[in-house]
Amino acid sequence: MAIGIPICVQCGTKSNPCRCKVVGPTVGFLAFAAAAIVEWPVGAMVYCFRHVKGRRIMAHPAAVVYPTVNGAIPI
């Protein structure tokens, strides 16, 4: 049994000459998953008492972490 590493490819970008990104989206996904493991349970607990704040916490990995990491690596 083997465990694979997810490889994400984003084509059609203008951030590099070949117009494809592999490293940025892949590292972005791994950062998203790591942040989600921590933030989603915390957000669920906060949501019980403060709905809007809980939603913001649970949306943070997708709205902030992934785009920031993906945009920081141009290849």
Side-chain angles (χ1 to χ4, degrees):
M1 179 186 295
I3 298 174
I5 296 173
I7 302 224
C8 304
V9 177
Q10 181 181 10
C11 291
T13 64
K14 295 182 180 179
S15 63
N16 62 16
C18 70
R19 296 186 185 261
C20 279
K21 291 173 69 171
V22 177
V23 177
T26 303
V27 174
F29 175 76
L30 295 174
F32 164 81
I37 288 171
V38 174
E39 292 183 17
W40 285 349
V42 172
M45 293 295 293
V46 172
Y47 182 81
C48 294
F49 305 103
R50 306 270 314 228
H51 296 303
V52 175
K53 183 89 168 168
R55 284 185 192 145
R56 277 198 330 225
I57 291 171
M58 288 190 284
H60 186 260
V64 177
V65 174
Y66 178 77
T68 303
V69 175
N70 186 19
I73 303 172
I75 56 173

